[in-house]
């Protein structure tokens, strides 16, 4: 499940959207993810980071943002937001 959750500085959480992702390819996730980021941005949300579980499809999704695995490590898993050009951090959390 790809889920967008608003998380405020005070800890308030609110689910914004959910997309079934069980059969998604990394490329499917890429387009769904950035579509969600755009929609949230259009409604006033600022998105700076993403937390994903450790599933292989999620790992491949993150790799799509870098030239290679070494590039992801060299950049501390920080890519550019495709809409703003600002830094965007990907965090892998096996407990999510």
């Amino acid at each position: 499940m790809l889920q967008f959750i608003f998380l405020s500085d005070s800890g308030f959480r609110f689910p914004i959207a959910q997309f079934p992702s069980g059969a998604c390819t990394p490329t499917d996730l890429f387009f769904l993810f950035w579509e969600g980021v755009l929609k949230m941005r259009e409604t006033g949300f600022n998105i700076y980071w993403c937390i994903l579980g450790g599933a292989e499809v999620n790992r491949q999704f993150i790799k799509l943002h870098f030239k290679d695995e070494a590039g992801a490590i060299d950049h501390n898993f920080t890519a550019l937001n495709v809409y703003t050009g600002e830094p965007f951090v990907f965090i892998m959390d096996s407990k999510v």
Side-chain angles (χ1 to χ4, degrees):
M1 181 68 62
L2 171 61
Q3 183 177 44
F4 287 88
I5 301 173
F6 170 75
L7 175 61
S8 74
D9 294 336
S10 67
F12 174 74
R13 292 173 171 245
F14 185 80
I16 304 295
Q18 295 180 356
F19 302 95
S21 61
C24 283
T25 67
T27 305
D28 292 336
L29 281 180
F30 185 94
F31 289 110
L32 279 172
F33 176 81
W34 286 110
E35 178 183 353
V37 169
L38 177 61
K39 296 293 184 193
M40 291 180 72
R41 181 166 174 71
E42 289 173 344
T43 57
F45 291 95
N46 294 313
I47 314 298
Y48 304 107
W49 49 273
C50 169
I51 299 176
L52 302 106
E56 184 60 28
V57 68
N58 293 341
R59 293 174 187 276
Q60 295 300 320
F61 160 73
I62 290 173
K63 288 179 183 179
L64 290 174
H65 295 85
F66 303 95
K67 280 185 160 183
D68 53 29
E69 194 168 325
I73 294 167
D74 291 344
H75 290 96
N76 296 314
F77 295 91
T78 302
L80 295 179
N81 182 314
V82 299
Y83 298 111
T84 66
E86 296 174 351
F88 195 94
V89 179
F90 292 95
I91 303 166
M92 190 66 61
D93 182 358
S94 61
K95 295 179 186 176
V96 170

